[in-house]
């Protein structure tokens, strides 16, 4: 940035970020889904309910409308989007944001656009929410399996647990893998006093280990 000051390390950070290696957000700002920017955020907790409802719709679509990887070219589309999802953070700064990757991002359970959930959400909280959503989908799937075993009407509707599980596994693969890599990533550096410090790679202000 043009306003760099030697007496203020935070002046070298952009997008309202502060702290060690610009890993944190300024007070009153929140990290968002879809990018690593920190923005002013209102109370949008209702988005969590939307995602929960979308999870139910996704399971119903896969299980009862037969949108599974055994039909058509869906297998190749999902696999292709899984591969590209790992490169989205690299190319979005050069392509004016992640909006052109909305479709790919949605297939990997990412909004694809900057989405703020609640004020002062940290990177750790965002990672936790990203990690919980795939498990929520599998919980719904197992609930449907139990219902299908207890209700002949559901079983006769064409619900195939094997196909649903395989499709969900492929859909969640990229999201879970990326989140695990983010959780396990750490960085080592030496502070001004000569002490060695180990911090979380996404937010070095968080002590790792």
């Amino acid at each position: 940035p043009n306003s760099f000051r030697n007496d203020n390390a935070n002046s070298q950070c952009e997008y309202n970020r502060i702290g060690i290696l610009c890993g944190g957000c300024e007070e009153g700002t929140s990290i968002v889904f879809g990018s690593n920017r920190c923005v002013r955020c209102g109370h949008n907790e209702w988005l969590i309910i939307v995602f929960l409802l979308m999870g139910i719709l996704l399971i119903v679509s896969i299980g009862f409308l037969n949108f599974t990887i055994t039909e058509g070219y869906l297998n190749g589309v999902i696999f292709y989007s899984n591969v590209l999802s790992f490169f989205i953070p690299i190319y979005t700064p050069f392509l004016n944001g992640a909006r052109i990757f909305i479709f790919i991002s949605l297939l990997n359970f990412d909004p694809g656009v900057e989405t703020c959930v609640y004020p002062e959400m940290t990177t750790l909280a965002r990672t936790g929410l990203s990690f919980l959503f795939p498990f929520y989908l599998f919980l719904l799937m197992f609930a449907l399996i139990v219902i299908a075993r207890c209700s002949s009407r559901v079983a006769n509707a064409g619900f195939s647990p094997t196909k649903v599980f395989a499709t969900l596994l492929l859909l969640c693969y990229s999201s879970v893998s990326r989140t695990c890599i983010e959780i396990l990533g750490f960085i080592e550096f030496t502070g001004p006093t000569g002490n060695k410090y180990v911090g979380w790679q996404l937010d070095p202000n968080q002590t790792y280990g």
Side-chain angles (χ1 to χ4, degrees):
N2 297 326
S3 58
F4 175 75
R5 293 170 48 191
N6 290 329
D7 60 339
N8 183 9
N10 292 329
S11 63
Q12 63 185 310
C13 302
E14 293 185 314
Y15 308 125
N16 300 320
R17 302 188 69 91
I18 59 173
I20 302 173
L21 300 180
C22 304
C25 291
E26 292 181 357
E27 185 177 355
T29 63
S30 170
I31 194 73
V32 296
F33 286 94
S35 78
N36 288 317
R37 300 198 326 147
C38 298
V39 301
R40 301 285 175 181
C41 180
H43 289 275
N44 299 319
E45 288 85 354
W46 56 271
L47 288 173
I48 297 178
I49 299 177
V50 172
F51 276 103
L52 295 179
L53 294 177
M54 288 178 61
I56 297 175
L57 180 62
L58 177 64
I59 297 295
V60 171
S61 300
I62 294 174
F64 295 101
L65 299 181
N66 207 24
F67 289 156
T68 64
I69 59 175
T70 61
E71 304 296 329
Y73 298 98
L74 186 60
N75 188 3
V77 172
I78 295 176
F79 180 76
Y80 184 70
S81 68
N82 286 343
V83 174
L84 287 182
S85 68
F86 287 95
F87 296 96
I88 287 178
I90 300 175
Y91 289 109
T92 48
F94 306 100
L95 297 173
N96 194 25
R99 287 176 175 80
I100 65 172
F101 300 111
I102 291 178
F103 177 71
I104 297 174
S105 298
L106 288 175
L107 285 177
N108 292 280
F109 305 132
D110 192 296
V113 294
E114 292 184 352
T115 304
C116 184
V117 179
Y118 62 88
E120 299 188 2
M121 181 175 69
T122 63
T123 304
L124 184 62
R126 183 186 67 176
T127 303
L129 290 174
S130 300
F131 201 63
L132 287 176
F133 186 70
F135 286 98
Y136 165 70
L137 292 179
F138 282 106
L139 183 63
L140 288 177
M141 186 199 71
F142 288 125
L144 275 176
I145 292 175
V146 173
I147 295 174
R149 288 183 175 180
C150 299
S151 173
S152 58
R153 181 178 300 179
V154 175
N156 295 332
F159 179 75
S160 175
T162 304
K163 292 182 180 180
V164 173
F165 179 80
T167 304
L168 278 180
L169 193 63
L170 189 58
L171 282 170
C172 296
Y173 169 76
S174 175
S175 176
V176 174
S177 298
R178 185 174 64 250
T179 304
C180 289
I181 293 173
E182 291 176 350
I183 292 175
L184 296 175
F186 65 92
I187 185 171
E188 298 181 9
F189 58 93
T190 303
T193 59
N195 296 328
K196 290 186 177 181
Y197 180 85
V198 180
W200 187 32
Q201 187 172 10
L202 292 184
D203 185 2
N205 299 285
Q206 301 282 341
T207 304
Y208 191 90

